[in-house]
Amino acid sequence: MDRQVSLSRTETFSFINPWIRYFLFFFSFLFWIFSLLIVAIGVYAKVQKATDAVRDTFLIDPAVILIVVGVVMFFITFCGCIGALRENIRLLKIFSFSLTLVFLNQMAIAILGFFYSDQTRDALGKFVKKAIVHYRDDLDLQNLMDYIQQQFKCCGWNNYTDWSWNLYFNCSQSNPSTERCAVPFSCCTPLPGETVINTMCGFGVQTQNSLDATKSIYPVGCSDRAVVWIESHLLFVGALALGLALPQIAGIVLSQILISEIRKEIRSVF
């Protein structure tokens, strides 16, 4: 009788912890669904655009960025889902390696951004300059720039005259555009009780000096505003970084534990 009980326990015993296995599966599954949602939003935004003739905006197109991020997330989380469900060591290794690679890249970018702040600022400046140049060519890019300027209460990258980089807002005498020497409405300071946005509030502002321009727009560039915002929201930035890092670390640790348990299970069989 004791021998039969012992054999029964041996047959039912497993080195694989079901809690770890199913937690990793549901963890990956949630992010897998989220990645599909991101891809769907990106594809929808891309399809809804009337024209997309400007190739130079491809790498800064918010829709393209969403699609790329979503596809990468889909691949990683798919490996985690199937690897945990099927106890597949190869897929779990791919999942763990991919998460580790993403995490290390994020760490490297954060460290380099901190120690090489001037170079990082210049790189961001090139990105914003390209966004300003193609402001009227891409609706998503236009909405993104307007959102940034309204949230940070800024105008341009260095100052409001940066909008001369744009063909329509360029302040040269040869520019036939009706928006010559203007800035977008997102640069304007809102008036008390204003319910309808005055899209012409920034017309002719580039011809004014900084003191006069302050009466109607935010003359400070987004570069300085971003630095001030980060310095005054260090706790939030730290919490955001931690929130991004913890799921990745959890996925790496759980996948490595599950791989170790699967190997023990295989050795016990043979």
Side-chain angles (χ1 to χ4, degrees), residues 72-108:
V72 172
M73 280 184 63
F74 177 87
F75 170 75
I76 295 174
T77 52
F78 177 80
C79 291
C81 275
I82 305 302
L85 190 64
R86 304 295 298 175
E87 298 178 7
N88 188 302
I89 292 178
R90 182 173 295 178
L91 287 177
L92 287 172
K93 281 184 175 179
I94 294 173
F95 174 73
S96 179
F97 175 77
S98 300
L99 275 184
T100 304
L101 194 62
V102 170
F103 178 73
L104 291 177
N105 280 332
Q106 290 174 349
M107 288 290 292

PDB file of all heavy atoms in Angstrom, residues 72-108:
ATOM      1  N   VAL A  72       6.931  44.802 -32.526  1.00  0.00           N
ATOM      2  CA  VAL A  72       7.995  44.285 -31.648  1.00  0.00           C
ATOM      3  C   VAL A  72       7.383  43.667 -30.385  1.00  0.00           C
ATOM      4  O   VAL A  72       7.763  42.561 -29.965  1.00  0.00           O
ATOM      5  CB  VAL A  72       8.987  45.408 -31.277  1.00  0.00           C
ATOM      6  CG1 VAL A  72       9.973  44.928 -30.205  1.00  0.00           C
ATOM      7  CG2 VAL A  72       9.759  45.870 -32.509  1.00  0.00           C
ATOM      8  N   MET A  73       6.434  44.386 -29.782  1.00  0.00           N
ATOM      9  CA  MET A  73       5.741  43.855 -28.597  1.00  0.00           C
ATOM     10  C   MET A  73       4.996  42.567 -28.914  1.00  0.00           C
ATOM     11  O   MET A  73       4.998  41.623 -28.108  1.00  0.00           O
ATOM     12  CB  MET A  73       4.751  44.894 -28.052  1.00  0.00           C
ATOM     13  CG  MET A  73       5.370  45.977 -27.210  1.00  0.00           C
ATOM     14  SD  MET A  73       4.092  47.060 -26.520  1.00  0.00           S
ATOM     15  CE  MET A  73       3.170  45.918 -25.488  1.00  0.00           C
ATOM     16  N   PHE A  74       4.366  42.515 -30.086  1.00  0.00           N
ATOM     17  CA  PHE A  74       3.612  41.323 -30.482  1.00  0.00           C
ATOM     18  C   PHE A  74       4.524  40.108 -30.565  1.00  0.00           C
ATOM     19  O   PHE A  74       4.192  39.025 -30.058  1.00  0.00           O
ATOM     20  CB  PHE A  74       2.944  41.569 -31.834  1.00  0.00           C
ATOM     21  CG  PHE A  74       2.205  40.370 -32.373  1.00  0.00           C
ATOM     22  CD1 PHE A  74       0.888  40.131 -32.016  1.00  0.00           C
ATOM     23  CD2 PHE A  74       2.838  39.476 -33.230  1.00  0.00           C
ATOM     24  CE1 PHE A  74       0.208  39.023 -32.500  1.00  0.00           C
ATOM     25  CE2 PHE A  74       2.164  38.367 -33.718  1.00  0.00           C
ATOM     26  CZ  PHE A  74       0.852  38.139 -33.359  1.00  0.00           C
ATOM     27  N   PHE A  75       5.678  40.276 -31.184  1.00  0.00           N
ATOM     28  CA  PHE A  75       6.626  39.161 -31.338  1.00  0.00           C
ATOM     29  C   PHE A  75       7.120  38.665 -29.984  1.00  0.00           C
ATOM     30  O   PHE A  75       7.133  37.461 -29.709  1.00  0.00           O
ATOM     31  CB  PHE A  75       7.814  39.614 -32.197  1.00  0.00           C
ATOM     32  CG  PHE A  75       8.948  38.623 -32.227  1.00  0.00           C
ATOM     33  CD1 PHE A  75       8.854  37.461 -32.973  1.00  0.00           C
ATOM     34  CD2 PHE A  75      10.106  38.863 -31.482  1.00  0.00           C
ATOM     35  CE1 PHE A  75       9.898  36.542 -32.992  1.00  0.00           C
ATOM     36  CE2 PHE A  75      11.150  37.948 -31.495  1.00  0.00           C
ATOM     37  CZ  PHE A  75      11.044  36.782 -32.248  1.00  0.00           C
ATOM     38  N   ILE A  76       7.512  39.609 -29.105  1.00  0.00           N
ATOM     39  CA  ILE A  76       8.060  39.228 -27.795  1.00  0.00           C
ATOM     40  C   ILE A  76       7.001  38.537 -26.941  1.00  0.00           C
ATOM     41  O   ILE A  76       7.241  37.466 -26.365  1.00  0.00           O
ATOM     42  CB  ILE A  76       8.622  40.467 -27.073  1.00  0.00           C
ATOM     43  CG1 ILE A  76       9.814  41.044 -27.846  1.00  0.00           C
ATOM     44  CG2 ILE A  76       9.044  40.118 -25.645  1.00  0.00           C
ATOM     45  CD1 ILE A  76      10.342  42.360 -27.287  1.00  0.00           C
ATOM     46  N   THR A  77       5.825  39.149 -26.845  1.00  0.00           N
ATOM     47  CA  THR A  77       4.788  38.592 -25.971  1.00  0.00           C
ATOM     48  C   THR A  77       4.203  37.292 -26.528  1.00  0.00           C
ATOM     49  O   THR A  77       3.761  36.435 -25.760  1.00  0.00           O
ATOM     50  CB  THR A  77       3.655  39.617 -25.769  1.00  0.00           C
ATOM     51  OG1 THR A  77       3.199  40.091 -27.045  1.00  0.00           O
ATOM     52  CG2 THR A  77       4.133  40.800 -24.949  1.00  0.00           C
ATOM     53  N   PHE A  78       4.198  37.145 -27.857  1.00  0.00           N
ATOM     54  CA  PHE A  78       3.743  35.890 -28.454  1.00  0.00           C
ATOM     55  C   PHE A  78       4.655  34.741 -28.019  1.00  0.00           C
ATOM     56  O   PHE A  78       4.173  33.647 -27.680  1.00  0.00           O
ATOM     57  CB  PHE A  78       3.725  36.007 -29.977  1.00  0.00           C
ATOM     58  CG  PHE A  78       3.336  34.735 -30.682  1.00  0.00           C
ATOM     59  CD1 PHE A  78       2.003  34.373 -30.789  1.00  0.00           C
ATOM     60  CD2 PHE A  78       4.304  33.904 -31.235  1.00  0.00           C
ATOM     61  CE1 PHE A  78       1.636  33.201 -31.435  1.00  0.00           C
ATOM     62  CE2 PHE A  78       3.949  32.728 -31.869  1.00  0.00           C
ATOM     63  CZ  PHE A  78       2.618  32.373 -31.975  1.00  0.00           C
ATOM     64  N   CYS A  79       5.958  34.984 -28.044  1.00  0.00           N
ATOM     65  CA  CYS A  79       6.911  33.964 -27.585  1.00  0.00           C
ATOM     66  C   CYS A  79       6.683  33.629 -26.111  1.00  0.00           C
ATOM     67  O   CYS A  79       6.768  32.457 -25.712  1.00  0.00           O
ATOM     68  CB  CYS A  79       8.350  34.452 -27.786  1.00  0.00           C
ATOM     69  SG  CYS A  79       8.850  34.583 -29.511  1.00  0.00           S
ATOM     70  N   GLY A  80       6.384  34.638 -25.299  1.00  0.00           N
ATOM     71  CA  GLY A  80       6.125  34.404 -23.881  1.00  0.00           C
ATOM     72  C   GLY A  80       4.854  33.606 -23.660  1.00  0.00           C
ATOM     73  O   GLY A  80       4.816  32.686 -22.836  1.00  0.00           O
ATOM     74  N   CYS A  81       3.797  33.958 -24.401  1.00  0.00           N
ATOM     75  CA  CYS A  81       2.508  33.254 -24.275  1.00  0.00           C
ATOM     76  C   CYS A  81       2.647  31.774 -24.612  1.00  0.00           C
ATOM     77  O   CYS A  81       2.306  30.900 -23.811  1.00  0.00           O
ATOM     78  CB  CYS A  81       1.475  33.877 -25.214  1.00  0.00           C
ATOM     79  SG  CYS A  81       0.616  35.295 -24.537  1.00  0.00           S
ATOM     80  N   ILE A  82       3.113  31.504 -25.828  1.00  0.00           N
ATOM     81  CA  ILE A  82       3.197  30.126 -26.311  1.00  0.00           C
ATOM     82  C   ILE A  82       4.267  29.349 -25.549  1.00  0.00           C
ATOM     83  O   ILE A  82       4.087  28.166 -25.240  1.00  0.00           O
ATOM     84  CB  ILE A  82       3.489  30.096 -27.826  1.00  0.00           C
ATOM     85  CG1 ILE A  82       2.439  30.910 -28.574  1.00  0.00           C
ATOM     86  CG2 ILE A  82       3.514  28.661 -28.340  1.00  0.00           C
ATOM     87  CD1 ILE A  82       1.021  30.459 -28.356  1.00  0.00           C
ATOM     88  N   GLY A  83       5.364  30.026 -25.232  1.00  0.00           N
ATOM     89  CA  GLY A  83       6.435  29.359 -24.489  1.00  0.00           C
ATOM     90  C   GLY A  83       5.983  28.880 -23.124  1.00  0.00           C
ATOM     91  O   GLY A  83       6.298  27.764 -22.701  1.00  0.00           O
ATOM     92  N   ALA A  84       5.219  29.725 -22.410  1.00  0.00           N
ATOM     93  CA  ALA A  84       4.713  29.347 -21.089  1.00  0.00           C
ATOM     94  C   ALA A  84       3.620  28.290 -21.196  1.00  0.00           C
ATOM     95  O   ALA A  84       3.584  27.335 -20.410  1.00  0.00           O
ATOM     96  CB  ALA A  84       4.180  30.579 -20.360  1.00  0.00           C
ATOM     97  N   LEU A  85       2.748  28.431 -22.172  1.00  0.00           N
ATOM     98  CA  LEU A  85       1.627  27.500 -22.317  1.00  0.00           C
ATOM     99  C   LEU A  85       2.094  26.107 -22.733  1.00  0.00           C
ATOM    100  O   LEU A  85       1.611  25.101 -22.204  1.00  0.00           O
ATOM    101  CB  LEU A  85       0.636  28.048 -23.346  1.00  0.00           C
ATOM    102  CG  LEU A  85      -0.705  27.331 -23.460  1.00  0.00           C
ATOM    103  CD1 LEU A  85      -1.501  27.454 -22.161  1.00  0.00           C
ATOM    104  CD2 LEU A  85      -1.510  27.900 -24.631  1.00  0.00           C
ATOM    105  N   ARG A  86       3.050  26.070 -23.679  1.00  0.00           N
ATOM    106  CA  ARG A  86       3.522  24.790 -24.207  1.00  0.00           C
ATOM    107  C   ARG A  86       4.797  24.305 -23.523  1.00  0.00           C
ATOM    108  O   ARG A  86       5.318  23.261 -23.897  1.00  0.00           O
ATOM    109  CB  ARG A  86       3.786  24.926 -25.717  1.00  0.00           C
ATOM    110  CG  ARG A  86       2.596  25.412 -26.528  1.00  0.00           C
ATOM    111  CD  ARG A  86       1.449  24.442 -26.515  1.00  0.00           C
ATOM    112  NE  ARG A  86       1.838  23.164 -27.113  1.00  0.00           N
ATOM    113  CZ  ARG A  86       1.069  22.094 -27.149  1.00  0.00           C
ATOM    114  NH1 ARG A  86      -0.139  22.136 -26.605  1.00  0.00           N
ATOM    115  NH2 ARG A  86       1.482  20.985 -27.730  1.00  0.00           N
ATOM    116  N   GLU A  87       5.278  25.078 -22.550  1.00  0.00           N
ATOM    117  CA  GLU A  87       6.527  24.737 -21.840  1.00  0.00           C
ATOM    118  C   GLU A  87       7.669  24.534 -22.830  1.00  0.00           C
ATOM    119  O   GLU A  87       8.442  23.580 -22.756  1.00  0.00           O
ATOM    120  CB  GLU A  87       6.328  23.485 -20.985  1.00  0.00           C
ATOM    121  CG  GLU A  87       5.283  23.661 -19.894  1.00  0.00           C
ATOM    122  CD  GLU A  87       5.049  22.401 -19.082  1.00  0.00           C
ATOM    123  OE1 GLU A  87       5.805  21.428 -19.278  1.00  0.00           O
ATOM    124  OE2 GLU A  87       4.107  22.381 -18.272  1.00  0.00           O
ATOM    125  N   ASN A  88       7.757  25.470 -23.756  1.00  0.00           N
ATOM    126  CA  ASN A  88       8.757  25.413 -24.819  1.00  0.00           C
ATOM    127  C   ASN A  88       9.977  26.249 -24.412  1.00  0.00           C
ATOM    128  O   ASN A  88       9.893  27.476 -24.315  1.00  0.00           O
ATOM    129  CB  ASN A  88       8.158  25.941 -26.128  1.00  0.00           C
ATOM    130  CG  ASN A  88       9.057  25.735 -27.323  1.00  0.00           C
ATOM    131  OD1 ASN A  88      10.185  26.195 -27.349  1.00  0.00           O
ATOM    132  ND2 ASN A  88       8.531  25.034 -28.319  1.00  0.00           N
ATOM    133  N   ILE A  89      11.091  25.585 -24.179  1.00  0.00           N
ATOM    134  CA  ILE A  89      12.293  26.270 -23.707  1.00  0.00           C
ATOM    135  C   ILE A  89      12.819  27.259 -24.743  1.00  0.00           C
ATOM    136  O   ILE A  89      13.249  28.360 -24.399  1.00  0.00           O
ATOM    137  CB  ILE A  89      13.393  25.244 -23.344  1.00  0.00           C
ATOM    138  CG1 ILE A  89      12.971  24.451 -22.098  1.00  0.00           C
ATOM    139  CG2 ILE A  89      14.730  25.926 -23.098  1.00  0.00           C
ATOM    140  CD1 ILE A  89      13.963  23.388 -21.676  1.00  0.00           C
ATOM    141  N   ARG A  90      12.773  26.873 -26.013  1.00  0.00           N
ATOM    142  CA  ARG A  90      13.312  27.751 -27.059  1.00  0.00           C
ATOM    143  C   ARG A  90      12.550  29.080 -27.116  1.00  0.00           C
ATOM    144  O   ARG A  90      13.157  30.157 -27.184  1.00  0.00           O
ATOM    145  CB  ARG A  90      13.236  27.048 -28.416  1.00  0.00           C
ATOM    146  CG  ARG A  90      13.819  27.869 -29.567  1.00  0.00           C
ATOM    147  CD  ARG A  90      13.877  27.059 -30.833  1.00  0.00           C
ATOM    148  NE  ARG A  90      14.801  25.933 -30.697  1.00  0.00           N
ATOM    149  CZ  ARG A  90      15.006  25.038 -31.665  1.00  0.00           C
ATOM    150  NH1 ARG A  90      14.358  25.136 -32.813  1.00  0.00           N
ATOM    151  NH2 ARG A  90      15.857  24.053 -31.475  1.00  0.00           N
ATOM    152  N   LEU A  91      11.236  29.010 -27.094  1.00  0.00           N
ATOM    153  CA  LEU A  91      10.435  30.241 -27.132  1.00  0.00           C
ATOM    154  C   LEU A  91      10.631  31.073 -25.873  1.00  0.00           C
ATOM    155  O   LEU A  91      10.675  32.311 -25.936  1.00  0.00           O
ATOM    156  CB  LEU A  91       8.956  29.903 -27.309  1.00  0.00           C
ATOM    157  CG  LEU A  91       8.526  29.405 -28.686  1.00  0.00           C
ATOM    158  CD1 LEU A  91       7.048  29.034 -28.687  1.00  0.00           C
ATOM    159  CD2 LEU A  91       8.804  30.445 -29.767  1.00  0.00           C
ATOM    160  N   LEU A  92      10.749  30.407 -24.730  1.00  0.00           N
ATOM    161  CA  LEU A  92      10.984  31.134 -23.475  1.00  0.00           C
ATOM    162  C   LEU A  92      12.344  31.824 -23.493  1.00  0.00           C
ATOM    163  O   LEU A  92      12.489  32.927 -22.960  1.00  0.00           O
ATOM    164  CB  LEU A  92      10.884  30.173 -22.292  1.00  0.00           C
ATOM    165  CG  LEU A  92       9.470  29.701 -21.923  1.00  0.00           C
ATOM    166  CD1 LEU A  92       9.535  28.609 -20.870  1.00  0.00           C
ATOM    167  CD2 LEU A  92       8.624  30.863 -21.425  1.00  0.00           C
ATOM    168  N   LYS A  93      13.329  31.186 -24.109  1.00  0.00           N
ATOM    169  CA  LYS A  93      14.658  31.808 -24.226  1.00  0.00           C
ATOM    170  C   LYS A  93      14.591  33.048 -25.119  1.00  0.00           C
ATOM    171  O   LYS A  93      15.196  34.076 -24.816  1.00  0.00           O
ATOM    172  CB  LYS A  93      15.658  30.801 -24.803  1.00  0.00           C
ATOM    173  CG  LYS A  93      16.194  29.789 -23.799  1.00  0.00           C
ATOM    174  CD  LYS A  93      17.240  28.913 -24.456  1.00  0.00           C
ATOM    175  CE  LYS A  93      17.874  27.967 -23.451  1.00  0.00           C
ATOM    176  NZ  LYS A  93      18.892  27.088 -24.079  1.00  0.00           N
ATOM    177  N   ILE A  94      13.851  32.934 -26.226  1.00  0.00           N
ATOM    178  CA  ILE A  94      13.686  34.090 -27.123  1.00  0.00           C
ATOM    179  C   ILE A  94      12.986  35.226 -26.387  1.00  0.00           C
ATOM    180  O   ILE A  94      13.364  36.396 -26.494  1.00  0.00           O
ATOM    181  CB  ILE A  94      12.886  33.689 -28.386  1.00  0.00           C
ATOM    182  CG1 ILE A  94      13.686  32.693 -29.224  1.00  0.00           C
ATOM    183  CG2 ILE A  94      12.544  34.927 -29.215  1.00  0.00           C
ATOM    184  CD1 ILE A  94      12.905  32.116 -30.397  1.00  0.00           C
ATOM    185  N   PHE A  95      11.941  34.875 -25.626  1.00  0.00           N
ATOM    186  CA  PHE A  95      11.192  35.862 -24.838  1.00  0.00           C
ATOM    187  C   PHE A  95      12.103  36.559 -23.827  1.00  0.00           C
ATOM    188  O   PHE A  95      12.130  37.796 -23.745  1.00  0.00           O
ATOM    189  CB  PHE A  95      10.047  35.146 -24.125  1.00  0.00           C
ATOM    190  CG  PHE A  95       9.275  36.012 -23.168  1.00  0.00           C
ATOM    191  CD1 PHE A  95       8.408  36.987 -23.628  1.00  0.00           C
ATOM    192  CD2 PHE A  95       9.403  35.841 -21.794  1.00  0.00           C
ATOM    193  CE1 PHE A  95       7.684  37.785 -22.742  1.00  0.00           C
ATOM    194  CE2 PHE A  95       8.686  36.618 -20.907  1.00  0.00           C
ATOM    195  CZ  PHE A  95       7.832  37.594 -21.383  1.00  0.00           C
ATOM    196  N   SER A  96      12.865  35.767 -23.078  1.00  0.00           N
ATOM    197  CA  SER A  96      13.755  36.314 -22.061  1.00  0.00           C
ATOM    198  C   SER A  96      14.860  37.164 -22.680  1.00  0.00           C
ATOM    199  O   SER A  96      15.168  38.260 -22.194  1.00  0.00           O
ATOM    200  CB  SER A  96      14.366  35.178 -21.241  1.00  0.00           C
ATOM    201  OG  SER A  96      15.253  35.680 -20.270  1.00  0.00           O
ATOM    202  N   PHE A  97      15.463  36.662 -23.765  1.00  0.00           N
ATOM    203  CA  PHE A  97      16.552  37.387 -24.426  1.00  0.00           C
ATOM    204  C   PHE A  97      16.052  38.710 -24.999  1.00  0.00           C
ATOM    205  O   PHE A  97      16.719  39.750 -24.878  1.00  0.00           O
ATOM    206  CB  PHE A  97      17.157  36.521 -25.534  1.00  0.00           C
ATOM    207  CG  PHE A  97      18.206  37.225 -26.353  1.00  0.00           C
ATOM    208  CD1 PHE A  97      19.484  37.406 -25.857  1.00  0.00           C
ATOM    209  CD2 PHE A  97      17.891  37.724 -27.611  1.00  0.00           C
ATOM    210  CE1 PHE A  97      20.449  38.067 -26.607  1.00  0.00           C
ATOM    211  CE2 PHE A  97      18.849  38.387 -28.362  1.00  0.00           C
ATOM    212  CZ  PHE A  97      20.134  38.558 -27.861  1.00  0.00           C
ATOM    213  N   SER A  98      14.863  38.686 -25.645  1.00  0.00           N
ATOM    214  CA  SER A  98      14.308  39.901 -26.247  1.00  0.00           C
ATOM    215  C   SER A  98      14.003  40.952 -25.185  1.00  0.00           C
ATOM    216  O   SER A  98      14.312  42.137 -25.366  1.00  0.00           O
ATOM    217  CB  SER A  98      13.041  39.566 -27.030  1.00  0.00           C
ATOM    218  OG  SER A  98      13.296  38.644 -28.049  1.00  0.00           O
ATOM    219  N   LEU A  99      13.397  40.516 -24.069  1.00  0.00           N
ATOM    220  CA  LEU A  99      13.105  41.458 -22.986  1.00  0.00           C
ATOM    221  C   LEU A  99      14.391  42.043 -22.400  1.00  0.00           C
ATOM    222  O   LEU A  99      14.459  43.234 -22.098  1.00  0.00           O
ATOM    223  CB  LEU A  99      12.315  40.753 -21.883  1.00  0.00           C
ATOM    224  CG  LEU A  99      10.793  40.669 -22.039  1.00  0.00           C
ATOM    225  CD1 LEU A  99      10.182  40.024 -20.813  1.00  0.00           C
ATOM    226  CD2 LEU A  99      10.178  42.040 -22.269  1.00  0.00           C
ATOM    227  N   THR A 100      15.393  41.186 -22.244  1.00  0.00           N
ATOM    228  CA  THR A 100      16.689  41.652 -21.714  1.00  0.00           C
ATOM    229  C   THR A 100      17.309  42.681 -22.645  1.00  0.00           C
ATOM    230  O   THR A 100      17.838  43.709 -22.197  1.00  0.00           O
ATOM    231  CB  THR A 100      17.656  40.468 -21.525  1.00  0.00           C
ATOM    232  OG1 THR A 100      17.056  39.495 -20.675  1.00  0.00           O
ATOM    233  CG2 THR A 100      18.963  40.925 -20.916  1.00  0.00           C
ATOM    234  N   LEU A 101      17.237  42.401 -23.947  1.00  0.00           N
ATOM    235  CA  LEU A 101      17.805  43.317 -24.941  1.00  0.00           C
ATOM    236  C   LEU A 101      17.093  44.668 -24.907  1.00  0.00           C
ATOM    237  O   LEU A 101      17.733  45.725 -24.922  1.00  0.00           O
ATOM    238  CB  LEU A 101      17.683  42.693 -26.334  1.00  0.00           C
ATOM    239  CG  LEU A 101      18.505  43.321 -27.457  1.00  0.00           C
ATOM    240  CD1 LEU A 101      19.995  43.202 -27.156  1.00  0.00           C
ATOM    241  CD2 LEU A 101      18.180  42.644 -28.781  1.00  0.00           C
ATOM    242  N   VAL A 102      15.756  44.649 -24.833  1.00  0.00           N
ATOM    243  CA  VAL A 102      14.970  45.895 -24.768  1.00  0.00           C
ATOM    244  C   VAL A 102      15.306  46.662 -23.496  1.00  0.00           C
ATOM    245  O   VAL A 102      15.497  47.886 -23.520  1.00  0.00           O
ATOM    246  CB  VAL A 102      13.461  45.583 -24.832  1.00  0.00           C
ATOM    247  CG1 VAL A 102      12.644  46.833 -24.528  1.00  0.00           C
ATOM    248  CG2 VAL A 102      13.080  45.034 -26.193  1.00  0.00           C
ATOM    249  N   PHE A 103      15.385  45.949 -22.375  1.00  0.00           N
ATOM    250  CA  PHE A 103      15.678  46.583 -21.089  1.00  0.00           C
ATOM    251  C   PHE A 103      17.067  47.227 -21.092  1.00  0.00           C
ATOM    252  O   PHE A 103      17.232  48.367 -20.635  1.00  0.00           O
ATOM    253  CB  PHE A 103      15.587  45.542 -19.971  1.00  0.00           C
ATOM    254  CG  PHE A 103      15.918  46.076 -18.610  1.00  0.00           C
ATOM    255  CD1 PHE A 103      15.040  46.910 -17.942  1.00  0.00           C
ATOM    256  CD2 PHE A 103      17.121  45.749 -17.996  1.00  0.00           C
ATOM    257  CE1 PHE A 103      15.347  47.414 -16.688  1.00  0.00           C
ATOM    258  CE2 PHE A 103      17.441  46.251 -16.745  1.00  0.00           C
ATOM    259  CZ  PHE A 103      16.559  47.082 -16.090  1.00  0.00           C
ATOM    260  N   LEU A 104      18.071  46.509 -21.621  1.00  0.00           N
ATOM    261  CA  LEU A 104      19.436  47.045 -21.667  1.00  0.00           C
ATOM    262  C   LEU A 104      19.528  48.255 -22.592  1.00  0.00           C
ATOM    263  O   LEU A 104      20.255  49.211 -22.302  1.00  0.00           O
ATOM    264  CB  LEU A 104      20.421  45.955 -22.121  1.00  0.00           C
ATOM    265  CG  LEU A 104      20.659  44.813 -21.131  1.00  0.00           C
ATOM    266  CD1 LEU A 104      21.583  43.766 -21.724  1.00  0.00           C
ATOM    267  CD2 LEU A 104      21.233  45.344 -19.811  1.00  0.00           C
ATOM    268  N   ASN A 105      18.784  48.210 -23.692  1.00  0.00           N
ATOM    269  CA  ASN A 105      18.762  49.364 -24.604  1.00  0.00           C
ATOM    270  C   ASN A 105      18.155  50.590 -23.925  1.00  0.00           C
ATOM    271  O   ASN A 105      18.656  51.709 -24.085  1.00  0.00           O
ATOM    272  CB  ASN A 105      17.960  49.023 -25.866  1.00  0.00           C
ATOM    273  CG  ASN A 105      18.762  48.211 -26.857  1.00  0.00           C
ATOM    274  OD1 ASN A 105      19.979  48.304 -26.904  1.00  0.00           O
ATOM    275  ND2 ASN A 105      18.087  47.409 -27.662  1.00  0.00           N
ATOM    276  N   GLN A 106      17.093  50.377 -23.177  1.00  0.00           N
ATOM    277  CA  GLN A 106      16.474  51.479 -22.440  1.00  0.00           C
ATOM    278  C   GLN A 106      17.426  52.047 -21.404  1.00  0.00           C
ATOM    279  O   GLN A 106      17.523  53.266 -21.240  1.00  0.00           O
ATOM    280  CB  GLN A 106      15.182  51.001 -21.775  1.00  0.00           C
ATOM    281  CG  GLN A 106      14.060  50.699 -22.735  1.00  0.00           C
ATOM    282  CD  GLN A 106      12.845  50.100 -22.061  1.00  0.00           C
ATOM    283  OE1 GLN A 106      12.898  49.717 -20.889  1.00  0.00           O
ATOM    284  NE2 GLN A 106      11.752  49.994 -22.782  1.00  0.00           N
ATOM    285  N   MET A 107      18.123  51.162 -20.707  1.00  0.00           N
ATOM    286  CA  MET A 107      19.097  51.604 -19.706  1.00  0.00           C
ATOM    287  C   MET A 107      20.227  52.398 -20.355  1.00  0.00           C
ATOM    288  O   MET A 107      20.649  53.440 -19.847  1.00  0.00           O
ATOM    289  CB  MET A 107      19.672  50.392 -18.972  1.00  0.00           C
ATOM    290  CG  MET A 107      18.711  49.720 -18.007  1.00  0.00           C
ATOM    291  SD  MET A 107      18.385  50.727 -16.546  1.00  0.00           S
ATOM    292  CE  MET A 107      19.993  50.686 -15.746  1.00  0.00           C
ATOM    293  N   ALA A 108      20.705  51.899 -21.500  1.00  0.00           N
ATOM    294  CA  ALA A 108      21.801  52.570 -22.203  1.00  0.00           C
ATOM    295  C   ALA A 108      21.375  53.957 -22.680  1.00  0.00           C
ATOM    296  O   ALA A 108      22.126  54.936 -22.544  1.00  0.00           O
ATOM    297  CB  ALA A 108      22.250  51.722 -23.388  1.00  0.00           C
TER     298      ALA A 108
END
